[in-house]
Amino acid sequence: MRLIRTGRLAACLTALLCLLSIALPALAQDDLDGLLPVTEAYKLSTDASTPGVLKLHWTIAPDYYLYRGRMKLKAGDGVTLGEAQFPDGEKHHDEYLGDVETYHHGVDATVPYTVAAGTSRLKLSVQYQGCHEVAPKICYPPHTEQLDLPLPAGAAQAGNDGSLGAALGKLGSNRASDGGALPAEQAFHLEALAKDHQHLLLRWTLPKGYYLYRDQTALKLKDAEGLSLAKPEWPAGVEHEDAHFGKTTVYFDQVELPVTIQGDASNRSSVNLEASFQGCQDGGLCYPLMTRTLAIDLGGAAPTSGAASEPSPEMPPAELAGGALQGSLISALLLALVGGLVLNLMPCVLPVLSIKAVGLLESGESHAKARSHALFYTAGVLSTFALIGIAIVALRSAGHALGWGAQLQQPLVVGALACVMFAVGLSMSGVVQFGTSLGNVGSSLASRSGHAGDFFTGVLAVAVASPCTAPFMGSALAYAFAAPMIHALLVFLTLGIGLALPFLAIGFVPALARLLPRPGAWMETLKQVLAFPMYLTAVWLVWVLAHQRGADAVGLVLVAAVLLAATLWWFERSRSRGGFSKVFVALLAVLTLVPLYYLAHVPPQAQAATVAEGVVAYSPEKLAELRKAGTPVFVDMTADWCVTCKANEHAVLDTDAFRDVLKKTGAVYMKGDWTDVNPTIAAFLAQYHSPGVPLYVVFPKDGGEGHKLPTVLTTSLVEEALTKAAGTPVASNP
């Protein structure tokens, strides 16, 4: 009986499902009766009779509309599309899509295009989407139509370089008469200078609101058998989402491009360089590919302009990218040596050097031990500087820009350094012992550990030295960041020698070694006292991290620090325990890496950077606006991890005296924050051949060239520069 009832129930359910399957489509069909097919609701027609331009027209049925933002065009084989031009639509707020623009009744659009040589048909796909706005209110899914149209006679063909060329519609000097754009010669002024027979410098100068494409530029020598051009070393540009080329790099205002001639050009008096390039008016038209030939005198320094119809203005002596420091290699090496010496006194290096001070005191009874400490520490310093130099040269050759201290823009590096500083502090506090201790100086095993400790102390000293720029380092680094590879490596190695020189002197000059205090029990207390600067350095790095990635990043690095402390604590306890204890140490060490892994994936903070009252945030557009208005500007490029920047702010830029100078001269204080990665600020640094921050540039009110100030400021130096920029004397104090 139970089985029968179950069978009947199953039969009833089956019958009910069948009825529903028949009824629901019928009900749905009744509800959708009267709706037009998508191609009738939105009838698309085309007109390709004009060469280089495709016209589209949608006839929209009553009670239907199209979304402007849902219209997409995709080129077919052999076709390159320009930016489609749509009229403004009716603005309203959509329940699902937010603020939108819609079209009723009809809409026209135009699309510029080019076709590759040999292409006979204009092929593209057009996607659109719309809705029915009265009952039944429904929206059609996105609909795509494939167009295959015959080409009109004289249709624009793209050049071999794939540029848009004529597709953008005769936009060169012929468009100057409409008042909306400058002639190409004025919008993209090009001049060239020969530094010597092998090195050239090209300079594009653009008015406000114009930009140059990096990847649409091609250079070659004409009628120069046996000579060619090396790959140009472009400076950092501005990342730009372009309608024609997608994500690309562009340059505003001015860009200098060093170019090296490959081959022996010593017997030539001149060369002819052909430059092809393309650019746009920001928010306006794009120019066709421009090609200019420049005759460059290899024997002189007079610039050659790419505009043949007008004489070249005299180019002032420039900081050539082949030698950003005006001076010889010897000058750069001397500055590097002095800069490395002074670096020993900088606050970001002193905490690490305290480790070496204790090490040298511990070896005070043995000259051989002192020399060993000094040599292995120096080896660590020089090896690290050499690796940094090689990495920078390699990245520069690949077209990337890397500034001094830029590694601290990476949250993972900052977090890892904070943990390293914390671990060193724990070691000096006695929580864990690394390497040689006071009780086993004579042990051969401890001796090997001591050598490794000395070496990696040198590595650590260089790692934390980058936020500091000693007064003499800036010019030497500027030279190294633009010089040939061998010269750059020599400069970095000389910096390392300067940093290690005090310990080399103590290790190899017995008279200096005798000045050190005699070893004793007091040294253990000194070591523990010197742990606190290490903790403060870790705190400072966490503060930098908070500015880069916010509270989440701080929480992760603090968790990593706690796990690291647990690892070191158990490591010390496991010395006298079995193998299981050592496995547990390894497990804790792995767990320490987990929060650092997540730290590397914390996104940047969404809120915009804030600046203090009376300070203007840097942007190229705002700077150009102020300069056009005749306002002197003091530009400060800084970063939270830059110790020299913070010292200058405390001593000069955050004082009432500086604010009084700004008020008297009418100057604007503009600040750029390079704490995190910022391509716009990197481009400004590259423009002034600065290897990093701080960078201070004063722009005069008459629109002249910016004046670069030293990396270490004084109130009198800044006042003099701003007074000169304002062109009005400042009354002296009685």
Side-chain angles (χ1 to χ4, degrees):
M1 186 68 179
R2 187 175 182 180
L3 291 174
I4 295 174
R5 288 179 181 176
T6 304
R8 288 179 178 176
L9 179 61
C12 291
L13 288 174
T14 303
L16 179 60
L17 288 174
C18 291
L19 289 172
L20 287 175
S21 65
I22 297 171
L24 286 178
L27 291 172
Q29 184 61 46
D30 289 339
D31 190 47
L32 297 180
D33 279 346
L35 285 178
L36 297 173
V38 63
T39 53
E40 293 184 21
Y42 315 102
K43 293 181 179 179
L44 174 61
S45 58
T46 61
D47 179 2
S49 60
T50 303
V53 177
L54 173 64
K55 299 177 182 179
L56 303 174
H57 175 77
W58 283 267
T59 300
I60 305 174
D63 299 328
Y64 292 81
Y65 62 85
L66 279 175
Y67 289 109
R68 178 183 180 180
R70 295 290 179 166
M71 293 180 166
K72 300 178 182 179
L73 290 84
K74 184 177 180 181
D77 293 340
V79 179
T80 301
L81 298 178
E83 183 174 4
Q85 301 297 320
F86 290 92
D88 293 336
E90 301 173 24
K91 297 179 174 62
H92 73 93
H93 185 81
D94 188 281
E95 181 180 358
Y96 302 104
L97 302 177
D99 295 328
V100 296
E101 293 184 35
T102 58
Y103 300 115
H104 290 79
H105 310 301
V107 59
D108 291 284
T110 58
V111 188
Y113 69 88
T114 57
V115 292
T119 302
S120 59
R121 306 283 295 181
L122 176 59
K123 297 181 179 181
L124 68 154
S125 62
V126 181
Q127 184 183 97
Y128 53 89
Q129 184 177 12
C131 299
H132 188 230
E133 59 186 351
V134 296
K137 293 184 177 181
I138 65 99
C139 287
Y140 293 88
H143 177 72
T144 301
E145 293 194 35
Q146 303 294 333
L147 303 182
D148 186 353
L149 308 173
L151 285 173
Q157 290 189 340
N160 292 333
D161 61 352
S163 67
L164 293 178
L168 301 175
K170 299 181 180 179
L171 300 175
S173 57
N174 294 336
R175 288 292 301 273
S177 60
D178 65 5
L182 295 171
E185 291 78 10
Q186 296 180 24
F188 304 92
H189 180 72
L190 172 63
E191 49 194 357
L193 172 70
K195 179 193 174 187
D196 52 43
H197 282 77
Q198 301 297 141
H199 298 93
L200 310 176
L201 179 72
L202 303 186
R203 175 184 290 172
W204 283 267
T205 304
L206 289 70
K208 178 184 176 182
Y210 288 77
Y211 58 85
L212 178 76
Y213 292 110
R214 182 190 68 186
D215 297 333
Q216 302 304 314
T217 303
L219 306 171
K220 66 179 180 179
L221 294 177
K222 296 183 65 178
D223 304 323
E225 187 176 353
L227 301 180
S228 62
L229 296 178
K231 182 180 179 181
E233 297 180 1
W234 286 93
V238 177
E239 292 295 326
H240 178 69
E241 188 64 36
D242 189 83
H244 310 306
F245 303 113
K247 190 173 183 180
T248 186
T249 300
V250 300
Y251 299 94
F252 290 86
D253 301 325
Q254 188 179 85
V255 58
E256 293 183 352
L257 178 64
V259 182
T260 300
I261 298 177
Q262 294 179 326
D264 186 8
S266 59
N267 59 347
R268 299 182 66 96
S269 59
S270 65
V271 291
N272 293 323
L273 183 140
E274 183 179 277
S276 299
F277 52 91
Q278 190 173 2
C280 296
Q281 183 184 24
D282 196 11
L285 61 84
C286 287
Y287 289 70
L289 190 70
M290 295 164 273
T291 301
R292 299 179 194 169
T293 301
L294 299 87
I296 305 173
D297 181 8
L298 297 181
T304 301
S305 173
S309 59
E310 49 186 71
S312 306
E314 184 176 354
M315 180 187 289
E319 291 181 337
L320 299 176
L325 171 64
Q326 293 218 10
S328 64
L329 173 63
I330 295 177
S331 300
L333 294 178
L334 289 174
L335 289 170
L337 181 64
V338 176
L341 279 168
V342 177
L343 200 61
N344 286 278
L345 305 176
M346 302 302 283
C348 51
V349 183
L350 276 173
V352 178
L353 298 188
S354 64
I355 303 172
K356 287 313 304 161
V358 172
L360 288 172
L361 288 171
E362 289 178 345
S363 61
E365 296 179 354
S366 167
H367 296 314
K369 193 68 175 178
R371 287 193 295 270
S372 175
H373 272 290
L375 285 174
F376 278 91
Y377 171 78
T378 302
V381 169
L382 293 181
S383 299
T384 309
F385 265 116
L387 287 175
I388 291 174
I390 292 171
I392 286 173
V393 170
L395 288 170
R396 190 185 68 193
S397 300
H400 300 285
L402 184 65
W404 180 248
Q407 70 272 20
L408 291 182
Q409 292 177 333
Q410 306 302 323
L412 178 59
V413 175
V414 177
L417 273 177
C419 290
V420 169
M421 292 296 179
F422 182 58
V424 172
L426 291 176
S427 173
M428 299 180 76
S429 295
V431 175
V432 63
Q433 296 294 326
F434 298 122
T436 308
S437 65
L438 292 175
N440 59 0
V441 173
S443 167
S444 60
L445 177 61
S447 175
R448 288 195 297 272
S449 299
H451 291 166
D454 293 332
F455 182 88
F456 286 106
T457 301
V459 173
L460 187 60
V462 178
V464 299
S466 56
C468 295
T469 303
F472 300 97
M473 277 181 63
S475 297
L477 283 172
Y479 180 94
F481 274 70
M485 180 176 181
I486 298 300
H487 292 189
L489 289 178
L490 286 174
V491 169
F492 277 98
L493 289 174
T494 306
L495 279 169
I497 292 173
L499 179 61
L501 195 56
F503 294 104
L504 282 173
I506 292 173
F508 282 85
V509 180
L512 293 175
R514 284 195 292 269
L515 296 177
L516 295 174
R518 295 180 63 83
W522 60 271
M523 293 192 314
E524 188 65 27
T525 301
L526 175 62
K527 179 188 292 186
Q528 294 174 6
V529 169
L530 291 177
F532 293 97
M534 310 303 295
Y535 296 137
L536 288 175
T537 304
V539 170
W540 166 67
L541 288 166
V542 172
W543 174 78
V544 170
L545 191 62
H547 282 239
Q548 291 177 330
R549 293 295 187 271
D552 289 346
V554 172
L556 287 169
V557 78
L558 291 179
V559 171
V562 171
L563 290 172
L564 178 62
T567 303
L568 297 177
W569 168 73
W570 192 256
F571 168 76
E572 191 67 21
R573 289 176 61 87
S574 68
R575 292 181 186 272
S576 58
R577 297 173 182 263
F580 178 77
S581 294
K582 294 178 173 56
V583 171
F584 190 62
V585 170
L587 177 61
L588 285 172
V590 172
L591 289 177
T592 303
L593 300 176
V594 174
L596 293 179
Y597 169 80
Y598 286 106
L599 173 63
H601 295 82
V602 175
Q605 299 187 82
Q607 67 267 25
T610 58
V611 293
E613 183 179 356
V615 182
V616 176
Y618 170 79
S619 73
E621 295 77 16
K622 184 63 177 179
L623 176 60
E625 177 185 330
L626 291 170
R627 299 200 67 196
K628 185 177 180 180
T631 304
V633 184
F634 181 93
V635 175
D636 170 14
M637 292 300 177
T638 183
D640 288 334
W641 40 259
C642 171
V643 175
T644 306
C645 304
K646 297 304 175 184
N648 285 333
E649 290 173 9
H650 176 75
V652 178
L653 302 179
D654 288 345
T655 63
D656 291 335
F658 177 66
R659 287 186 280 270
D660 289 342
V661 172
L662 291 175
K663 185 177 180 180
K664 291 176 183 178
T665 58
V668 169
Y669 180 24
M670 179 173 280
K671 181 182 286 189
D673 188 355
W674 207 44
T675 301
D676 214 336
V677 177
N678 188 315
T680 302
I681 293 178
F684 186 89
L685 296 175
Q687 181 180 349
Y688 287 91
H689 308 296
S690 176
V693 291
L695 171 63
Y696 307 104
V697 182
V698 175
F699 293 93
K701 70 175 186 179
D702 60 6
E705 293 291 328
H707 173 58
K708 185 176 172 182
L709 301 183
T711 55
V712 177
L713 300 178
T714 64
T715 301
S716 59
L717 185 151
V718 172
E719 182 175 5
E720 179 183 354
L722 286 174
T723 302
K724 184 177 179 181
T728 55
V730 176
S732 59
N733 294 326

